[in-house]
Amino acid sequence: MSNNKFGQATSFEQLIRVGTSCQWNEDSPEPMAEMDYQEELKLKDQAFTKFLQNSGISKSPKKIIASPKPRQYRTTTKRRVFFSNKGLGLGFSKAVKAGTCVESKLEPEKHQEIYAFLQETLSKKTYYALAKALNWLIIRGNYDRQFLIFNIYKMDADVIRKLKLICTALKKENLVEGAMAYYDPSRSEYYLEAERPAKGLQVKYLFGPKLLGLKVKDTLMRYSATGFSQVNESMVEKMVDLATAMLKPEKEDILLDLYCGYGLFSHTLGAPCKKVLAYELSSDSIDSAKEIAKRLKTQSRMQFHAERIDANLVQYKFPPRAQAELILLDPPRQGCEYGVIAGIAKRQPKRVLEIFCGTDVIPQEILEWEKHGYKTKIIQPIDMFAGTPNLETMVLFERA
Ligand SMILES: C[S@@+](CC[C@H](N)C(=O)[O-])C[C@H]1O[C@@H](n2cnc3c(N)ncnc32)[C@H](O)[C@@H]1O
């Protein structure tokens, strides 16, 4: 985070807020969704440049790449369930009254249709046991097909009976292609997209396929409903193209794809490389990555490992370096753990592409790469999270 003239840290979001005359809804996760999209991009461009300057980053960012779908783009969405004896309310995070089903401008219309059906049906007395036990309702999938996840904090025979009943109703309406229940007694904020819980996931498949699918550059990526996938489908191919243009993989290259998920980058930009080594915490995502490589007959050149990426893994468990590698890092919002960048820099990679899904950690990570002898070549923001005060940013580093 950068500092303002009073020495206080000024986040990217705060800089956007001071730049706009529009009403800012504190409680909404999508405070810019009502704004004209060109206006939103202009504000974000100005705020991002200022944010980096204030943080002591000398490299200027490129212009933000617009989202092909600036609204109704999200393929993973969620509603917090608020239960009372009057029925069910579905909100973002702030409590809502029974009968409410909050709408979003960033979600496909189909999601609203599914949530409205669930709000009405689960408010009926027959479903009270299930409605009372619900934490979140989550929809995942692509623009054509949706999959439903019931995040439940109390699981008993009655709840399971009602789950079966609601699945019969969902199938009859043909609203989703499948469903599963995820048992989360901690009632955490975690809802399958952000943080992983410390304990393993407890999942019960209810109906439909166990894997979700997304076509990227004619390749079908089949991945677990419990694993990460990019939230803005309309941006995915653009991201892969940009990453390929920056890392410039060739057939003699070795690529390390870190925080690889189901291997979006391994299977696309890594395809010409002689070897791909990929690491990721979620074993479900790694299983998906291996299945895709097997189907594409690239498994002899690609190795996928379910491991937590930390200083210890990078320093002591990565195979010894055989040549100067290409590195792609796509960590979660909080960035890499301490010691990861230092450990990777010791391998003296040819080029490094770090992808940031949070803005406020960018300066500290850029400064860390520069401290270890890397020069910032390109800072390319992309509007992955249109309608919200956040950006995805690709930063290319080369040895100075
Ligand atoms: C932003 S996602 C990127 C996934 C993938 N590159 C993609 O584009 O689909 C970050 C990934 O990092 C994984 N992850 C989070 N913390 C991790 C850690 N400490 N070590 C390894 N992987 C981690 C998450 O499970 C998630 O799949």
Side-chain angles (χ1 to χ4, degrees):
M1 250 188 261
S2 61
N3 287 329
N4 65 17
K5 63 180 174 178
F6 307 110
Q8 295 156 324
T10 315
S11 68
F12 172 61
E13 176 172 338
Q14 284 164 327
L15 287 169
I16 293 180
R17 287 171 69 158
V18 293
T20 178
S21 51
C22 291
Q23 186 97 25
W24 194 272
N25 180 356
E26 297 276 350
D27 296 323
S28 168
E30 47 195 56
M32 306 177 87
E34 300 288 341
M35 216 177 261
D36 168 73
Y37 189 48
Q38 291 313 314
E39 182 63 20
E40 177 185 340
L41 284 173
K42 199 169 139 199
L43 252 175
K44 284 181 169 172
D45 264 321
Q46 286 166 350
F48 191 52
T49 303
K50 194 156 185 202
F51 171 73
L52 292 179
Q53 274 169 0
N54 290 355
S55 312
I57 303 300
S58 52
K59 183 86 188 165
S60 301
K62 287 184 172 264
K63 228 171 143 34
I64 298 171
I65 293 182
S67 175
K69 256 182 181 282
R71 304 289 181 257
Q72 301 193 322
Y73 63 83
R74 292 189 68 106
T75 48
T76 296
T77 67
K78 62 169 178 173
R79 290 292 182 278
R80 177 70 100 176
V81 179
F82 298 94
F83 175 80
S84 75
N85 53 12
K86 289 193 181 135
L88 203 81
L90 298 183
F92 290 133
S93 51
K94 201 177 146 222
V96 293
K97 285 190 193 140
T100 312
C101 182
V102 294
E103 295 189 17
S104 161
K105 288 208 156 21
L106 308 186
E107 302 172 1
E109 273 170 21
K110 188 71 196 277
H111 287 217
Q112 190 58 36
E113 207 185 306
I114 298 166
Y115 288 128
F117 171 81
L118 290 167
Q119 188 280 318
E120 204 187 316
T121 311
L122 292 168
S123 289
K124 292 179 186 155
K125 280 226 159 60
T126 340
Y127 287 102
Y128 265 25
L130 172 59
K132 259 198 306 205
L134 280 169
N135 198 14
W136 293 98
L137 291 168
I138 301 144
I139 301 174
R140 301 198 62 187
N142 56 39
Y143 293 140
D144 301 321
R145 301 159 89 169
Q146 285 77 33
F147 186 91
L148 180 66
I149 302 171
F150 296 92
N151 181 316
I152 290 174
Y153 68 89
K154 182 179 160 237
M155 194 78 94
D156 58 24
D158 216 10
V159 170
I160 290 173
R161 259 196 306 276
K162 301 305 174 191
L163 275 171
K164 285 186 181 151
L165 198 63
I166 190 86
C167 285
T168 309
L170 283 164
K171 281 192 239 175
K172 196 168 147 220
E173 297 289 319
N174 200 15
L175 278 175
V176 291
E177 73 161 1
M180 67 176 219
Y182 163 55
Y183 177 48
D184 176 15
S186 73
R187 305 197 72 175
S188 68
E189 284 302 301
Y190 169 78
Y191 69 99
L192 297 167
E193 188 201 36
E195 292 291 304
R196 304 249 111 203
K199 283 190 290 148
L201 300 176
Q202 298 187 63
V203 159
K204 180 176 168 56
Y205 284 94
L206 300 167
F207 72 96
K210 287 194 174 165
L211 296 177
L212 310 182
L214 176 66
K215 253 206 172 147
V216 185
K217 308 214 152 270
D218 292 332
T219 297
L220 177 64
M221 307 287 180
R222 278 158 48 88
Y223 61 92
S224 161
T226 62
F228 175 90
S229 66
Q230 297 290 346
V231 81
N232 182 346
E233 183 185 338
S234 74
M235 265 295 191
V236 173
E237 291 202 351
K238 188 108 216 139
M239 251 184 116
V240 170
D241 288 343
L242 284 166
T244 309
M246 288 191 231
L247 267 185
K248 299 190 188 74
E250 287 175 2
K251 69 174 194 301
E252 289 314 311
D253 282 322
I254 296 178
L255 171 73
L256 261 68
D257 181 5
L258 307 181
Y259 311 88
C260 67
Y262 60 75
L264 170 66
F265 296 107
S266 297
H267 303 303
T268 51
L269 75 82
C273 296
K274 79 171 174 204
K275 195 167 173 189
V276 175
L277 282 168
Y279 292 82
E280 154 68 45
L281 186 61
S282 155
S283 53
D284 286 349
S285 295
I286 288 296
D287 289 346
S288 306
K290 287 179 179 168
E291 185 275 325
I292 298 168
K294 197 167 165 201
R295 187 161 29 88
L296 298 176
K297 299 193 173 30
T298 53
Q299 76 268 41
S300 60
R301 289 188 286 115
M302 299 200 181
Q303 290 174 15
F304 293 96
H305 303 277
E307 297 275 2
R308 178 188 192 92
I309 299 168
D310 56 17
N312 184 54
L313 181 90
V314 175
Q315 211 162 351
Y316 303 112
K317 296 200 185 150
F318 273 8
R321 160 196 193 277
Q323 64 184 66
E325 297 144 337
L326 300 178
I327 310 265
L328 189 149
L329 302 113
D330 189 6
R333 193 177 256 256
Q334 62 274 23
C336 297
E337 276 184 37
Y338 177 78
V340 168
I341 293 177
I344 295 172
K346 276 196 189 144
R347 298 175 76 88
Q348 304 196 332
K350 218 170 26 173
R351 278 187 288 282
V352 176
L353 181 67
E354 182 162 354
I355 304 177
F356 295 89
C357 49
T359 314
D360 292 330
V361 299
I362 297 175
Q364 76 203 43
E365 305 244 321
I366 288 186
L367 295 173
E368 178 81 359
W369 281 110
E370 291 183 351
K371 186 173 105 188
H372 291 288
Y374 279 80
K375 195 168 161 45
T376 307
K377 301 294 278 188
I378 300 174
I379 303 179
Q380 177 64 73
I382 58 180
D383 203 20
M384 189 66 134
F385 315 106
T388 77
N390 198 12
L391 285 175
E392 180 110 346
T393 306
M394 297 179 152
V395 184
L396 181 72
F397 302 96
E398 279 178 14
R399 278 190 66 72

